[in-house]
Amino acid sequence: MSDFFRGRRLRRTGTLREMVRETFVRPKDLIMPYFVVDTPDQNMKKPIASMPGQYQLSLDMLEETVARAVDMGLRSCLLFGIPAMKNETGSEAWAEHGIVQRAIQRLKSRFSRLVVTTDVCLCEYTSHGHCGILDPAGQVRNDATLEILAKTALSHAQAGADIVGPSDMMDGRVQAIRATLDENGFQHIPVMSYAVKYSSAFYGPFREAAESAPQFGNRKTYQMDPANGRESMREAMADIAEGADMLIVKPAGHYLDVLHELRQRCDLPLAAYQVSGEYAMIKAAGANGWIDERAIALETLLGIKRAGADLIITYFTEELLEAGVLA
Ligand code: PBG
């Protein structure tokens, strides 16, 4: 008998390896983000330079794109709207016939089983690009913003959204949204909160895609400091106490410690958001032939699941479904 561990015994054949495999990325685990633009144009599919393979879509093209993805096994999408008009309060965010509201209606009327999730935030809708309304000194007003976020979430639910996902990082927004949904007969609509959202340079490409870069300053007074791990648990526990049904950790790849710890500390379903910068870096190295892009994409998603995510929001969803490489 040998006196050392023979780990290779269970790696000898593909079938053996499959039998002892612990983690899987399945189609039902993935949520695909889409950017839908309020435009009179039909047939618009405008490439996003920093996110190869991702597009700003007109409503008709969104429907067509989602139709293909649903055929390939897409279960859920996350919608971001780019309004025709921005103002100080971001009023297009909760407009009855706003772009996201119309997109929800359109998708739900055709794909009733698709889980349509929405990003509830104001930065794409405000002229200043911040995630809330401002006081005269240019600071984001927390409590005054809550009301607007709640109105926005309600308008998404009224349009038929299955899940609302607040990403603004105002304190108390889960409670405000939950209360407004409940008062209006939407007790059954879950809140998936971006509980742990860092102030990250990895969002750079997204801000081009969503035309949502802040016009002055940055988001450090509301999004978290990337240096803080313990604080993420306080943010998560606060959102649970306020009634969140699911939590998001964002970004994903460089925050696996946070995801792992949160998995130990709470029983809610957890989602991780592999954000635009994470996607862009893999795409860029892949385009240069420096890495095997698909293998790396799959490996990053496996890592995120292994760390504790139940769901992953990723721009790779469509192409991995199409490639048929998911378990
Ligand atoms: C809106 C929002 C952002 C992202 C998702 N929702 C940008 C930000 O906070 O600046 C980023 C997603 C990505 O980078 O893919 N607040």
Side-chain angles (χ1 to χ4, degrees):
M1 208 180 83
S2 64
D3 55 0
F4 49 81
F5 168 60
R6 289 199 183 270
R8 292 184 57 189
R9 280 189 199 117
L10 297 180
R11 292 176 210 138
R12 195 168 51 85
T13 73
T15 311
L16 267 171
R17 290 193 293 276
E18 185 186 30
M19 287 168 72
V20 297
R21 188 160 296 141
E22 300 172 25
T23 311
F24 298 88
V25 180
R26 302 190 167 99
K28 68 100 193 145
D29 300 328
L30 303 185
I31 301 174
M32 178 71 193
Y34 290 106
F35 301 99
V36 57
V37 185
D38 195 349
T39 167
D41 300 344
Q42 299 270 311
N43 228 356
M44 180 187 130
K45 187 174 176 182
K46 188 173 159 210
I48 299 162
S50 54
M51 299 175 72
Q54 305 302 312
Y55 303 88
Q56 290 185 344
L57 302 165
S58 55
L59 213 44
D60 58 319
M61 279 309 280
L62 172 73
E63 182 179 337
E64 203 178 304
T65 306
V66 171
R68 283 192 57 233
V70 166
D71 274 345
M72 299 183 302
L74 182 75
R75 311 292 205 276
S76 180
C77 66
L78 175 63
L79 295 180
F80 293 96
I82 299 155
M85 182 272 296
K86 299 182 192 244
N87 59 24
E88 283 283 309
T89 56
S91 60
E92 277 296 302
W94 67 88
E96 191 183 343
H97 300 293
I99 183 60
V100 163
Q101 290 77 2
R102 275 181 285 149
I104 299 164
Q105 279 163 3
R106 187 125 168 194
L107 294 182
K108 287 305 291 186
S109 65
R110 177 145 169 218
F111 316 105
S112 59
R113 299 222 312 257
L114 178 74
V115 172
V116 173
T117 305
T118 60
D119 187 87
V120 176
C121 196
L122 301 174
C123 59
E124 299 107 273
Y125 301 90
T126 52
S127 42
H128 43 75
H130 279 287
C131 303
I133 56 177
L134 303 181
D135 68 15
Q139 292 296 315
V140 176
R141 296 172 61 193
N142 192 87
D143 296 17
T145 299
L146 297 182
E147 207 179 304
I148 295 185
L149 292 167
K151 265 203 283 196
T152 302
L154 177 61
S155 73
H156 293 175
Q158 284 166 334
D162 295 292
I163 301 176
V164 292
S167 72
D168 52 282
M169 287 301 275
M170 296 302 119
D171 296 325
R173 89 269 207 216
V174 172
Q175 186 181 70
I177 289 171
R178 185 72 270 159
T180 298
L181 290 176
D182 291 354
E183 279 158 25
N184 289 278
F186 292 98
Q187 294 89 344
H188 55 290
I189 297 300
V191 175
M192 177 162 86
S193 90
Y194 289 71
V196 182
K197 179 173 177 181
Y198 286 93
S199 173
S200 172
F202 282 99
Y203 308 152
F206 172 94
R207 292 178 187 170
E208 177 200 337
E211 300 175 10
S212 68
Q215 298 304 300
F216 64 89
N218 53 50
R219 303 206 202 291
K220 289 183 185 172
T221 69
Y222 41 105
Q223 298 180 350
M224 288 176 57
D225 182 343
N228 293 359
R230 292 191 300 266
E231 186 188 355
S232 64
M233 299 301 128
R234 295 203 293 278
E235 283 287 355
M237 295 312 142
D239 280 16
I240 295 171
E242 288 178 31
D245 299 280
M246 298 193 259
L247 304 179
I248 304 177
V249 172
K250 174 183 175 190
H254 290 78
Y255 296 82
L256 297 182
D257 54 332
V258 171
L259 198 54
H260 185 256
E261 190 173 348
L262 197 50
R263 177 71 297 160
Q264 316 305 312
R265 296 237 215 145
C266 92
D267 297 322
L268 263 53
L270 296 180
Y273 197 145
Q274 182 179 55
V275 300
S276 55
E278 298 177 77
Y279 175 81
M281 284 169 28
I282 297 171
K283 280 282 169 188
N288 273 295
W290 296 338
I291 58 169
D292 178 341
E293 182 185 312
R294 179 152 306 149
I296 295 247
L298 278 168
E299 193 172 324
T300 59
L301 299 182
L302 259 186
I304 294 165
K305 285 216 69 186
R306 200 182 59 239
D310 300 292
L311 300 167
I312 307 173
I313 303 163
T314 173
Y315 301 98
F316 285 112
T317 301
E318 258 187 20
E319 67 172 79
L320 294 179
L321 286 172
E322 186 167 13
V325 290
L326 302 175

